[in-house]
């Protein structure tokens, strides 16, 4: 997809839903839609990633945001989504903007075929001058299969469409060097490395699922794809265009000057961890993306993954070094590393080079990537290369 003045805008629940009555804030929706119409007239393509469905449905199902359980939120999403889309539809008529709804789950991002299908749908809507409104399908998602926050969901959309700008509208002016309620807190106007500010992030709104941490994670994902990320207050006139023109205070996260391809971005920037591998020091030393990860490189593994899942790869010190697409299931991988002296085709029943991750499916992590800590594994769960007294050796 050619990069052409494309903007992804993420709007938080606190801007869209009245915190007391839990009803749509039509005044805000009017202002943001009018600004989108202005940008479209200037030649921009705009994709909206909108929260708010769960918050708007709470009153209908008789639940409270602070105490609602998963089933409450699923039911609230089912009730709130029509309200949210109706508000956008009614206001959109005034500015001659046609809208379309795209509801996604974690699998639509993590499975590459579904990722491409979503990308093609978004592209086709933009060709027809229709504004996609994207949200997580909260009516069916559970904790195991949900993205969890619309900040990172929106960042994945920005990567997907190779957006020029990724705008996060929230209820603060941007990133502060400490809690903004503290005396002397300073707005950080420009960020190159978001990892320098992770310790300053805490708290989230009553209605939202994310805080400043998820916004920085999302900004980092956009940066890696060569997209400028902006974090700004949404309660102003011209909430988007005033950011792009530099007219007001906000935080600008600079894009990586050497951005990753769409394929590498999809591999490297994950929303959940399917599993992980620990490799030996020799394999870690030659980890440059030109050689595969072989079964002889593995020290241990963990996770219940399938062929085509993306795994996180750590060195023996627990530092994440790469991410890559596995050619084997977790069970197949376990059989391979627990029987290192037997031919792979004999163990698996088909011909294979026993490359756990091929070189062209492997992305070494660079300094600008946010790494994940290796998950804690309870005793007996981690499958390691067997010792001589291992019964499977």
């Amino acid at each position: 997809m050619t990069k052409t003045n494309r903007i992804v805008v993420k709007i938080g629940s606190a801007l869209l839903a009245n915190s007391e009555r839990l009803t749509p804030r039509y005044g805000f929706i009017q202002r943001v839609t009018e600004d989108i119409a202005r940008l479209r007239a200037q030649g921009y393509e705009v994709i909206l990633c909108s929260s708010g469905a769960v918050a708007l449905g709470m009153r209908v199902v008789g639940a409270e945001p602070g105490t609602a359980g998963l089933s409450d939120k699923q039911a609230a999403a089912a009730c709130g989504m029509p309200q949210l889309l109706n508000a956008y539809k009614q206001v959109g008529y005034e500015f001659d903007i046609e809208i379309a709804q795209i509801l996604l789950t974690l699998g639509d991002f993590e499975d590459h075929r579904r990722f491409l299908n979503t990308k093609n749908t978004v592209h086709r809507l933009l060709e027809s001058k229709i504004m996609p409104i994207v949200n997580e399908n909260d009516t069916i998602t559970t904790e195991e299969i949900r993205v969890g926050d619309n900040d990172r969901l929106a960042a994945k959309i920005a990567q997907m469409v190779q957006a020029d700008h990724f705008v996060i509208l929230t209820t603060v002016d941007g990133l502060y060097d400490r809690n903004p309620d503290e005396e002397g807190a300073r707005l950080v106007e420009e960020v190159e490395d978001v990892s320098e500010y992770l310790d300053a992030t805490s708290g989230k709104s009553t209605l939202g699922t994310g805080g400043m941490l998820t916004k920085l994670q999302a900004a980092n994902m956009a940066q890696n794809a060569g997209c400028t990320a902006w974090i700004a207050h949404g309660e102003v006139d011209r909430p988007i265009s005033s950011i792009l023109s530099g007219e007001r205070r906000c935080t600008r996260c600079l894009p990586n000057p050497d951005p990753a391809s769409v394929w590498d971005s999809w591999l490297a920037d994950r929303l959940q961890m399917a599993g992980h591998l620990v490799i030996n020091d020799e394999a870690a030393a030659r980890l440059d993306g030109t050689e595969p990860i072989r079964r002889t490189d593995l020290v241990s593994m963990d996770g219940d993954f399938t062929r085509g899942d993306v795994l996180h790869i750590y060195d023996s010190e627990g530092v994440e070094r790469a991410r890559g697409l596995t050619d084997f299931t977790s069970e197949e991988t376990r059989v391979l590393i627990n029987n290192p002296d037997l031919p792979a085709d004999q163990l698996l029943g088909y011909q294979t080079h026993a490359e756990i991750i091929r070189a062209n499916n492997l992305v070494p992590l660079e300094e600008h990537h946010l790494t994940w800590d290796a998950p804690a594994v309870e005793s007996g769960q981690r499958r390691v290369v067997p010792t001589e007294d291992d019964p499977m050796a």
Side-chain angles (χ1 to χ4, degrees):
M1 188 181 293
T2 304
K3 202 172 182 181
T4 171
N5 293 329
R6 194 164 289 139
I7 305 173
V8 173
V9 181
K10 185 270 175 177
I11 303 177
S13 296
L15 291 171
L16 289 160
N18 182 287
S19 60
E20 295 181 1
R21 297 190 301 274
L22 299 178
T23 53
R25 300 184 68 239
Y26 281 96
F28 170 78
I29 295 173
Q30 175 89 13
R31 287 191 296 275
V32 76
T33 305
E34 182 179 15
D35 204 25
I36 289 171
R38 184 179 295 109
L39 290 166
R40 282 161 57 103
Q42 296 172 8
Y44 285 97
E45 295 177 340
V46 181
I47 300 166
L48 203 58
C49 293
S50 178
S51 301
V54 174
L56 292 176
M58 284 289 176
R59 178 178 56 84
V60 181
V61 299
E64 293 292 333
T67 58
L70 178 60
S71 61
D72 297 324
K73 293 176 181 177
Q74 289 173 325
C79 296
M81 186 55 69
Q83 295 184 56
L84 182 65
L85 265 292
N86 180 65
Y88 280 123
K89 188 75 172 178
Q90 294 302 318
V91 176
Y93 280 139
E94 182 178 346
F95 300 100
D96 195 27
I97 296 177
E98 290 289 343
I99 67 169
Q101 181 185 41
I102 300 178
L103 294 177
L104 302 173
T105 64
L106 179 69
D108 297 313
F109 292 105
E110 306 293 73
D111 180 275
H112 195 247
R113 183 174 62 178
R114 290 161 64 180
F115 179 88
L116 291 177
N117 287 337
T118 303
K119 177 181 176 181
N120 291 338
T121 299
V122 172
H123 191 191
R124 182 65 184 87
L125 291 170
L126 293 176
E127 285 179 347
S128 298
K129 310 300 182 185
I130 299 169
M131 184 175 69
I133 299 180
V134 185
N135 197 358
E136 185 164 14
N137 193 349
D138 290 311
T139 62
I140 65 169
T141 54
T142 62
E143 293 300 326
E144 291 77 17
I145 64 170
R146 70 191 307 261
V147 175
D149 63 88
N150 275 343
D151 297 319
R152 293 182 303 144
L153 181 149
K156 292 296 287 187
I157 295 294
Q159 287 183 341
M160 176 188 291
V161 302
Q162 296 177 274
D164 299 89
H165 299 282
F166 172 45
V167 177
I168 302 176
L169 295 181
T170 183
T171 55
V172 293
D173 290 329
L175 169 69
Y176 283 79
D177 60 355
R178 69 192 78 172
N179 189 314
D181 294 331
E182 293 183 17
E183 184 178 352
R186 180 180 61 87
L187 179 71
V188 181
E189 297 186 358
E190 189 170 276
V191 175
E192 183 173 350
D193 181 4
V194 301
S195 65
E196 297 177 1
Y197 298 96
L198 295 183
D199 291 340
T201 62
S202 62
K204 61 183 181 181
S205 72
T206 304
L207 296 178
T209 56
M212 189 55 66
L213 174 60
T214 64
K215 290 170 177 54
L216 289 187
Q217 292 170 336
N220 180 249
M221 293 164 67
Q223 287 178 301
N224 293 339
C227 177
T228 303
W230 309 80
I231 305 172
H233 208 301
E235 277 290 7
V236 297
D237 290 331
R238 299 171 47 236
I240 307 165
S241 59
S242 62
I243 294 170
L244 302 184
S245 62
E247 297 177 39
R248 64 187 181 97
R249 285 159 49 93
C250 63
T251 297
R252 178 190 182 201
C253 301
L254 301 178
N256 181 357
D258 185 24
S261 66
V262 175
W263 172 248
D264 283 357
S265 293
W266 180 81
L267 281 175
D269 287 313
R270 313 307 299 157
L271 297 173
Q272 281 193 6
M273 183 185 294
H276 75 270
L277 307 174
V278 177
I279 58 176
N280 57 39
D281 293 340
E282 180 181 350
R286 57 174 167 77
L287 196 62
D288 60 3
T290 63
E291 294 190 40
I293 299 293
R294 301 178 177 88
R295 64 167 168 165
T296 53
D297 297 328
L298 301 187
V299 174
S300 66
M301 60 157 283
D302 186 67
D304 183 13
F305 50 86
T306 62
R307 186 181 293 109
D309 279 344
V310 175
L311 305 182
H312 295 236
I313 301 161
Y314 297 84
D315 61 23
S316 59
E317 300 297 320
V319 177
E320 189 180 11
R321 301 292 299 276
R323 292 169 193 166
L325 195 75
T326 176
D327 267 13
F328 301 102
T329 67
S330 52
E331 290 302 321
E332 289 172 328
T333 305
R334 190 171 297 119
V335 168
L336 288 172
I337 67 174
N338 281 344
N339 299 275
D341 298 326
L342 294 178
D345 54 351
Q346 179 180 331
L347 291 169
L348 301 181
Y350 59 86
Q351 188 66 37
T352 176
H353 294 294
E355 294 178 352
I356 307 300
I357 299 176
R358 302 182 198 183
N360 61 345
N361 290 335
L362 183 67
V363 179
L365 299 185
E366 302 176 13
E367 291 184 358
H368 54 76
H369 285 100
L370 292 180
T371 57
W372 290 30
D373 293 334
V377 180
E378 296 180 8
S379 177
Q381 288 187 339
R382 178 171 293 180
R383 273 62 176 186
V384 298
V385 174
T387 59
E388 293 183 358
D389 54 355
D390 192 313
M392 292 191 67

